[in-house]
Amino acid sequence: MSERLPGLGLGLDLSHVPAEPRASAVALLYRRVGPGVEVYWVKRGKALTFAGGFYAFPGGKLDKADADVPVRGVSGEEAALRSAAARELFEEAGVLMAEGAEALSQEKQDALRKALLAGQRGWGELLQSEGLALRAEDFRVAGRWITPHAVPVRFDTHFYLVELPPHARTELWPGELSEGAWVSPALALARWGDGSALLHPPAVHALQVLGTFTDEADARARLATPPYCPGYIAQRIEFQQGVRVVALETPTLPPATHTNAYVLGNGELLLVDPGSGDVKQYAKLLSLVAGLKADGLKPVAVVLTHHHGDHVGGARAVKERLGIPLWCHAKTAEWLDFPVERLLEDGEVLELAGEVPQRWRVLHTPGHARGHICLVDERSRAAVVGDMVAGVGSIVIDPPEGNMRDYLTQLARLRDWPVGTLYPAHGQPLPDGPAKLQEYLNHRAQREALILQAVPPEGVTLAQVVERAYADTPPLLHPVAERSALATLEKLVAEGRVREESLQYFRIGA
C-alpha cells in the first residue's frame, strides 16, 4: 500500500496467519454433445466477497445440516460433501440429482427449489418428504483444491463429476449468480484466453481436461491429478491467459498481508513488483519463472509500478538471479540504490512476443507516488494497477510524495481509458474495472465532503479533522487516515476552499 507510516506499526501484529479453509463442494455438471461434452458454468455476482465476477461451477460451503443427510454408498465426511454438492447443484442450477426426482414434475421441482432457497424447507427434510435419495454413484470424485494461504477467505473444496440426467434441465434464478449457461470447454478456455472470463486454477484445469473428454473414468483420473498443485494448493495461478500472480508476504499496511507479483506474457515475460526481500518469499516467484523457462518461456525484464518498499523489496535479487534488466519510471528510479536499465514513459508500449503476443501500454499515474505507472494490455484491457486501487484495504495518499489531485485525475483517466479487469498489488482481481474506479472516485468525494465539513472558519488542527471526518475509522488507523486527510486538505487549499496557517486549517466562505 505504502511505506510504513509514522505512528503505525507499534503494537500491531503484522505477522500473517493464514485463514482456516472451510469445507466446500462443487458439482462439475456435464452433458454429452457429439463426441465431446459441454459443461454448465455460472458467473458469480460481482458484489460477492469471494471470487465476485469470476466464472465457476455450482457449489459452495458445507452447511451443518448437510451432514445429517444420508447418501447411499458413503458415510461421514464423504456423505456430507456429496450432500452439499447435491444441494448447491439444485439451488444454483435447478438440477435435483436424486433417486426418484425423475417422477417429479418440473412445477413440483421448482416449488421445492423455491422453498429451499427461502429457508422454508430444510434439505434433508425436503428429500425425505418427497421420497428422494442421494446416491454416491451420481457424484464421482473429481479432485480436491485448497485456496492459497494468501487469500483472506479460504476453502477446502472437493469436486464431483456429475452427468446431467435425461429428465433434468438447468435454469438460473436471479440471486448471487449473474449468469448460467452450457458451454463447450474450448469456448470457455477461449474466453479465458482473451480475458473475458476470469477463472481460478481448478476451473481452468477442469475445462482443459473436459476439452479432451473420452470417458468418465479417464476424465476423473486426470481431474484428480492436476499439475503444479502440491498439497492441493495451486502453484500456478493464471486468472486469464498470460497474467499470472504470485502473492508474496510483505511488510505492507493492514489489512493487506501480501503484495502481488505478476508474471505477464505467453512467450517473453515481464515480472512486475517482486516486493518481498525475504528469500523464502521471492523464491516462490523464481520457482514459477523456472518452471515457465522449462516450458520455453523467457523472462525479459523486471518492472516496478513504484518505489514503495512492499513493491521493490526483492527487485534487485530477482533481476540479478535471472540476469535481466530493471525497468521503471524516472521518478521511481530516483529512490532506488541499484541500477535501472530502462526508464519508462507515459504512452510507450511494451511488446511481448509469444504464442499469443501481448502489448502492454505504460500509463504514468502519479498520485499515490510520483513515479507510479500502470500497464494496460491493448487486447484484453487488463490493467496491472499497482496501488491505484486495492482488492483488500484502501489506498493511502501520503504527502509530499502523494498528491490527491493527481490521484483523482488518474483514477478518472483509467476509468475512461477504458480498462477491463484490474489487477491490484493487494488482494484479488477486480473484474469490472470502470465500476471499481468510479467507486473509488465516489468514496473520495464523500470523504472530501466530510473533511471540508470538519474544517470550521475559526480553524482546526489536522488531528481534529481526522477525529471528526474519520469517525467511522478505528482510532488505531488514524495515523494512516491522517496522511490521506492531509492530502485532501492540500487539495482544498490549492482550490481556494481552505487556507492553512501555523498548522491550522480554516474554511473559506460558507
Side-chain angles (χ1 to χ4, degrees), residues 192-205:
W192 170 73
D194 66 24
S196 63
L198 300 183
L199 298 171
H200 284 105
V204 175
H205 177 63

Side-chain angles (χ1 to χ4, degrees), residues 56-137:
F57 308 114
K61 63 182 176 61
L62 266 67
D63 289 345
K64 286 185 178 180
D66 290 328
D68 299 328
V69 179
V71 179
R72 187 184 306 158
V74 290
S75 60
E77 183 183 36
E78 279 300 322
L81 288 164
R82 284 174 169 83
S83 171
R87 176 180 51 74
E88 292 284 349
L89 183 61
F90 188 39
E91 290 177 346
E92 296 188 349
V95 175
L96 184 53
M97 196 70 185
E99 184 179 65
E102 65 278 4
L104 301 179
S105 68
Q106 190 60 55
E107 292 75 18
K108 178 64 174 179
Q109 292 192 42
D110 288 347
L112 293 173
R113 184 183 180 191
K114 182 178 180 181
L116 179 64
L117 288 168
Q120 298 167 350
R121 300 281 297 273
W123 176 228
E125 181 271 325
L126 180 153
L127 294 170
Q128 184 178 24
S129 66
E130 300 299 328
L132 305 175
L134 300 182
R135 301 173 297 193
E137 63 197 61

Side-chain angles (χ1 to χ4, degrees), residues 287-344:
S287 176
L288 171 62
V289 173
L292 295 174
K293 288 175 67 176
D295 292 341
L297 283 70
K298 177 185 177 183
V300 296
V302 171
V303 176
L304 301 179
T305 60
H306 61 296
H307 73 274
H308 288 154
D310 58 331
H311 293 254
V312 307
R316 183 172 192 165
V318 169
K319 76 184 286 286
E320 291 178 353
R321 294 282 186 95
L322 295 175
I324 57 178
L326 178 73
W327 302 348
C328 65
H329 192 272
K331 293 291 185 181
T332 295
E334 293 174 0
W335 288 88
L336 304 180
D337 60 358
F338 49 91
V340 173
E341 284 73 26
R342 177 175 174 181
L343 299 179
L344 301 176

Side-chain angles (χ1 to χ4, degrees), residues 455-459 497-501 504-508:
V455 179
E458 60 270 21
R497 293 193 282 169
V498 169
R499 68 180 178 87
E500 185 269 331
E501 182 179 335
Q504 292 221 359
Y505 297 87
F506 304 82
R507 190 192 311 174
I508 299 173

Side-chain angles (χ1 to χ4, degrees), residues 31 43 241 244 271 276 287 297 356 419 435 497:
R31 66 183 182 187
K43 185 177 183 181
Q241 187 177 21
R244 304 165 198 84
L271 282 60
S276 178
S287 176
L297 283 70
V356 180
V419 293
R497 293 193 282 169

Side-chain angles (χ1 to χ4, degrees), residues 387-448:
D387 276 353
M388 288 300 293
V389 300
V392 59
S394 60
I395 300 300
V396 179
I397 308 302
D398 183 17
E401 182 69 17
N403 183 286
M404 188 63 75
R405 294 183 75 180
D406 289 345
Y407 176 65
L408 297 176
T409 297
Q410 297 305 323
L411 285 177
R413 181 191 185 197
L414 283 172
R415 177 200 62 196
D416 298 338
W417 187 256
V419 293
T421 298
L422 304 181
Y423 289 94
H426 308 283
Q428 298 296 292
L430 305 165
D432 191 346
K436 177 57 66 172
L437 292 161
Q438 185 60 52
E439 178 185 315
Y440 266 58
L441 286 164
N442 293 344
H443 172 73
R444 293 290 179 175
Q446 292 167 1
R447 187 67 72 183
E448 180 181 295

Side-chain angles (χ1 to χ4, degrees), residues 28 30 140-145 159-161 205-206 208-210 212-227 229 232:
L28 186 50
Y30 75 96
R140 304 296 183 94
V141 172
R144 177 183 178 188
W145 296 77
F159 279 66
Y160 295 95
L161 193 61
H205 177 63
Q208 289 171 338
V209 168
L210 294 178
T212 56
F213 183 92
T214 54
D215 60 66
E216 185 182 272
D218 173 73
R220 288 196 297 111
R222 290 187 291 137
L223 286 167
T225 55
C229 198
Y232 308 111

Side-chain angles (χ1 to χ4, degrees), residues 455-475:
V455 179
E458 60 270 21
V460 70
T461 66
L462 175 58
Q464 290 171 323
V465 169
V466 172
E467 184 179 354
R468 298 175 184 181
Y470 287 83
D472 59 343
T473 302

